[in-house]
Amino acid sequence: MANQQQRWNLKLKKSNSYLGTVYLGEPLPLVEDVIMIGDKKYSIIEIIPGTTHDSSDVFVEEAKKK
C-alpha cells in the first residue's frame, strides 16, 4: 500500500508566478519552514487547501540569506 501524498502547487507570493508542483508525504512542512526548490531556498508564507482533499496552493517567498 502506497503512502498518501499531498500535491502542492507552489507559487511565488509576490508575483503569483507558478513555480511548479511537488508531491509530498507526511510530515508536511509548515508555514515559516524553509524548503529547497532547485538550488534556491524559499520560505512558506501561506498554505491554502485546494479543491481536492489532497491538494493545496502554497505561496512562498525567496528565503533571505544569512
Side-chain angles (χ1 to χ4, degrees), residues 25-36:
E26 299 289 335
L28 295 172
L30 303 172
V31 172
E32 297 185 5
D33 282 352
V34 175
I35 59 173
M36 292 287 295

Side-chain angles (χ1 to χ4, degrees), residues 7-8 11 13 16 19 22 27 33-35 41 57:
R7 183 179 74 221
W8 278 20
K11 298 179 181 180
K13 181 72 171 183
N16 201 30
L19 297 175
V22 296
D33 282 352
V34 175
I35 59 173
K41 290 183 181 181
D57 289 333

Side-chain angles (χ1 to χ4, degrees), residues 6-62:
Q6 296 288 319
R7 183 179 74 221
W8 278 20
N9 300 309
L10 299 168
K11 298 179 181 180
L12 198 56
K13 181 72 171 183
K14 188 180 208 179
S15 64
N16 201 30
S17 298
Y18 176 73
L19 297 175
T21 298
V22 296
Y23 293 86
L24 302 172
E26 299 289 335
L28 295 172
L30 303 172
V31 172
E32 297 185 5
D33 282 352
V34 175
I35 59 173
M36 292 287 295
I37 302 172
D39 60 350
K40 292 186 179 182
K41 290 183 181 181
Y42 292 90
S43 297
I44 298 172
I45 303 300
E46 186 176 6
I47 301 171
I48 300 172
T51 54
T52 62
H53 73 281
D54 64 346
S55 72
S56 297
D57 289 333
V58 179
F59 292 92
V60 298
E61 70 180 11
E62 206 164 333

